[in-house]
Amino acid sequence: SANYKTITANVGTLTINPKEVTITAASNSWTYDGTAHTDGTFTATALESGDTHTFTVAMTAESTITNVGTQPNVIATVDGTDVTTGTQKAIGNYLVTTVNGELKIVKDENEIVITSATNSWTYDSALHKDETYTVTYNGTAVTAGEGGKTFTLTNGDVITITATAAGVTNVSDNAEKNNTYTYTVKHGETDTSANYKTITANVGTLTIN
């Protein structure tokens, strides 16, 4: 080597490029039951042969659903690294792309039936009303709460009934004899009536004989 004026030693580089992997958040569906639903599971395309790595995946806080409709199931982090749906992110030996799933709540198929009382009186010049009600869910009677105008379903939804019938005094009032009312179905302060396929409101009659 001493026979040469200059010997230049250049150092090359050895590079491992990350393998592309797609992680897809789970899709799932539930029937409305008044509770919040999440699904933190996922699927991933194949890792490099012999690699036993297990990804740790967390969903966004918004990836939850309670009422009828759909909600994207979005991956927030992979192995503690923030990710954005559809955008590649280098995580360890992999170039990760995440895909959203879909969470879905479908309507409760069980019928709710609300019925106001039917009653009659012999004329006595008094105003008569009957603000009693029955509620059934899937054919089973629901127990009335205090005052007889609130009914709590097993899923925590509360049916509240408000009487609107004017009542009857005279035989001539029988033309307006429908025992009318309005109702709400709520879970806390949220109207949940749209979560049921069928709510039947039957109106009884008030009659002066």
Side-chain angles (χ1 to χ4, degrees):
S1 59
N3 294 323
Y4 298 92
K5 180 179 180 180
T6 304
I7 298 176
T8 301
N10 294 320
V11 178
T13 58
L14 303 176
T15 304
I16 299 293
N17 294 315
K19 179 178 180 177
E20 293 185 351
V21 168
T22 299
I23 299 177
T24 303
S27 293
N28 211 334
S29 177
W30 302 268
T31 297
Y32 173 72
D33 62 3
T35 62
H37 291 273
T38 60
D39 191 333
T41 61
F42 61 93
T43 57
T45 54
L47 304 185
E48 184 58 31
S49 177
D51 189 346
T52 59
H53 178 76
T54 300
F55 288 110
T56 300
V57 173
M59 306 303 172
T60 63
E62 293 76 20
S63 296
T64 182
I65 189 167
T66 301
N67 297 306
V68 170
T70 59
Q71 164 67 42
N73 197 21
V74 182
I75 296 172
T77 64
V78 176
D79 287 356
T81 299
D82 292 342
V83 293
T84 301
T85 301
T87 301
Q88 288 185 324
K89 186 82 170 186
I91 300 175
N93 291 320
Y94 296 95
L95 196 59
V96 174
T97 302
T98 57
V99 177
N100 294 345
E102 182 181 79
L103 306 178
K104 183 177 183 180
I105 298 290
V106 299
K107 290 190 177 188
D108 185 337
E109 295 283 331
N110 296 305
E111 183 181 22
I112 296 172
V113 179
I114 305 170
T115 305
S116 60
T118 290
N119 210 336
S120 65
W121 302 265
T122 298
Y123 173 72
D124 62 0
S125 78
L127 175 66
H128 292 276
K129 297 182 178 182
D130 190 338
E131 297 180 4
T132 57
Y133 306 90
T134 59
V135 173
T136 61
Y137 171 74
N138 193 27
T140 301
V142 180
T143 302
E146 185 177 354
K149 295 180 183 178
T150 61
F151 299 80
T152 302
L153 305 181
T154 55
N155 61 21
D157 284 8
V158 177
I159 299 171
T160 302
I161 299 171
T162 302
T164 59
V168 289
T169 301
N170 303 301
V171 172
S172 60
D173 294 334
N174 292 345
E176 304 296 332
K177 62 186 177 181
N178 287 341
N179 196 9
T180 56
Y181 58 92
T182 60
Y183 69 87
T184 60
V185 184
K186 291 186 175 182
H187 198 104
E189 296 301 316
T190 302
D191 186 332
T192 55
S193 57
N195 292 321
Y196 297 90
K197 182 178 181 180
T198 306
I199 301 177
T200 301
N202 295 323
V203 178
T205 57
L206 305 177
T207 305
I208 296 295
N209 297 315

